[in-house]
Amino acid sequence: TTDMVREGKILRHCVASYIERIAKGETAVLFIREKENPEEPFYTFEIRNEHIVQIKGFANKNPDQEIIDFVGEWKKEKLLKERKKVA
């Protein structure tokens, strides 16, 4: 919860309000970091039912195409591979 609160404060968005839903397993939230600055919040994204629901940066900034592409690649690598393991 500390990381969620910090993420929301620095990026000025409401990610901390998702803590209860995450604890209940209703959704998942992941943090995106720049390689050169791994400790600083950059973007946050939410996954629900294997779908990327939202990606937000500072003050709810929408992602640019580079971030959208990155998250799409991550989804292919992580979510789709996990689904194949289960099947």
Side-chain angles (χ1 to χ4, degrees):
T1 58
T2 302
D3 290 339
M4 298 289 286
V5 171
R6 179 177 181 271
E7 185 87 358
K9 282 184 179 179
I10 291 173
L11 291 181
R12 295 188 191 168
H13 59 42
C14 66
V15 71
S17 69
Y18 288 74
I19 292 170
E20 188 173 329
R21 286 181 255 174
I22 293 165
K24 290 179 180 177
E26 296 172 358
T27 195
V29 171
L30 291 107
F31 304 151
I32 299 173
R33 301 291 187 255
E34 292 180 293
K35 194 180 224 180
E36 305 80 30
N37 203 0
E39 298 303 317
E40 282 302 307
F42 184 52
Y43 277 88
T44 310
F45 69 104
E46 178 188 7
I47 302 167
R48 192 177 327 132
N49 299 321
E50 296 186 8
H51 295 286
I52 296 165
V53 179
Q54 59 180 327
I55 307 168
K56 297 295 179 182
F58 182 78
N60 283 320
K61 175 184 174 188
N62 288 321
D64 59 23
Q65 193 60 49
E66 182 179 15
I67 298 298
I68 292 169
D69 292 344
F70 172 80
V71 172
E73 285 299 314
W74 177 88
K75 180 180 177 179
K76 278 194 268 183
E77 285 292 316
K78 300 296 182 187
L79 290 182
L80 300 179
K81 281 186 178 181
E82 285 300 314
R83 188 183 306 156
K84 287 179 184 177
K85 286 181 186 177
V86 173

